[in-house]
């Protein structure tokens, strides 16, 4: 998929990403030098399966630098912000395999060079970061979502409720929830 970035106030359009691939932009912010910092995920430029993708554009939309980050699994950059030291803070998702997703925060310098990272796991099935902002005390605030598998009691209640439903679609939906739990290694 080719991604088109358009500056609606000026008159430029730029295309980024590979043809026929799964490339996506989640966040774009204007930088102090009036350029833009962009974050997303890429399959076409990935060293693994799918990597976090960060690139810097100048004020004319010309590519200044482009980087990918991640391992051999599914990783993506969902939120980015320029920091007071002219670097960038990035939040997203990092997979360590086996369906385990971690909230991922990493810091880049002004040239996109990797500085540090932190991974957070919440819920029982993992988590992902959706937004990060630098705070006035030069820290960071992170918004994440955690995924949890339902408890055994909840699953039994779902199974009992599915039998009470007259609508076949509702019965199937309830049983799909239970099936997905069992397929992921859960037991009743």
């Amino acid at each position: 998929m080719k991604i088109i970035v358009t500056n609606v106030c000026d008159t430029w359009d730029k295309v980024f990403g590979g043809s026929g691939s799964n490339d996506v932009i989640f966040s774009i912010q204007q930088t102090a030098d009036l350029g833009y910092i962009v974050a997303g995920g890429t399959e076409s430029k990935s060293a693994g399966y799918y990597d976090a993708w960060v690139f810097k554009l100048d004020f004319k939309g010309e590519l200044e630098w482009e980087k990918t980050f991640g391992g051999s699994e599914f990783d993506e950059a969902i939120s980015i912000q320029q920091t007071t030291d002219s670097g960038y803070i990035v939040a997203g998702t990092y997979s360590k395999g086996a369906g385990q997703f971690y909230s991922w925060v990493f810091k880049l310098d002004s040239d996109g060079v990797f500085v540090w990272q932190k991974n957070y796991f919440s819920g029982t099935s993992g988590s992902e970061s959706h937004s990060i902002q630098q705070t006035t005390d030069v820290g960071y605030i992170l918004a994440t979502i955690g995924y949890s598998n339902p408890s055994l009691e909840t699953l039994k209640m779902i199974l009992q409720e599915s039998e009470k439903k007259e609508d076949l679609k509702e019965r199937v939906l309830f049983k799909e929830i239970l099936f997905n739990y069992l397929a992921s290694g859960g037991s009743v």
Side-chain angles (χ1 to χ4, degrees):
M1 169 189 303
K2 295 209 183 238
I3 297 171
I4 300 172
V5 177
T6 302
N7 180 333
V8 294
C9 295
D10 295 321
T11 55
W12 57 260
D13 291 346
K14 301 292 177 176
V15 177
F16 302 94
S19 63
S21 64
N22 187 14
D23 298 337
V24 64
I25 292 174
F26 290 108
S27 181
I28 185 167
Q29 299 285 322
Q30 189 163 38
T31 54
D33 64 0
L34 302 180
Y36 302 91
I37 190 70
V38 183
T42 181
E43 185 177 52
S44 67
K45 299 173 183 302
S46 175
Y49 165 67
Y50 190 83
D51 282 346
W53 183 28
V54 178
F55 56 98
K56 172 74 172 71
L57 306 175
D58 69 11
F59 72 99
K60 294 179 182 175
E62 298 298 325
L63 187 66
E64 290 185 359
W65 53 260
E66 176 179 43
K67 310 280 180 157
T68 61
F69 305 93
S72 61
E73 298 292 327
F74 185 89
D75 315 302
E76 61 188 1
I78 297 173
S79 177
I80 193 164
Q81 183 187 38
Q82 188 171 35
T83 53
T84 56
D85 64 0
S86 298
Y88 305 97
I89 191 71
V90 185
T93 302
Y94 180 82
S95 174
K96 294 186 178 181
Q100 297 288 313
F101 291 96
Y102 293 74
S103 291
W104 186 26
V105 175
F106 58 98
K107 178 77 169 78
L108 305 175
D109 71 11
S110 60
D111 295 317
V113 176
F114 191 82
V115 178
W116 57 259
Q117 72 175 342
K118 300 237 182 243
N119 294 314
Y120 305 94
F121 188 86
S122 65
T124 59
S125 300
S127 57
E128 62 184 53
S129 299
H130 282 261
S131 181
I132 192 161
Q133 296 288 309
Q134 188 170 38
T135 56
T136 56
D137 64 357
V138 196
Y140 303 102
I141 188 163
L142 177 67
T144 66
I145 183 169
Y147 301 108
S148 297
N149 286 329
S151 70
L152 180 58
E153 292 76 30
T154 301
L155 291 170
K156 286 180 180 176
M157 186 267 315
I158 289 172
L159 186 58
Q160 290 168 353
E161 286 297 313
S162 71
E163 296 304 319
K164 295 177 187 175
K165 299 293 180 187
E166 291 182 26
D167 183 351
L168 179 60
K169 286 181 185 177
E170 287 185 54
R171 271 195 244 155
V172 169
L173 175 63
F174 275 88
K175 289 184 179 180
E176 278 182 8
I177 294 169
L178 180 61
F179 174 79
N180 289 336
Y181 172 73
L182 294 173
S184 69
S187 61
V188 177

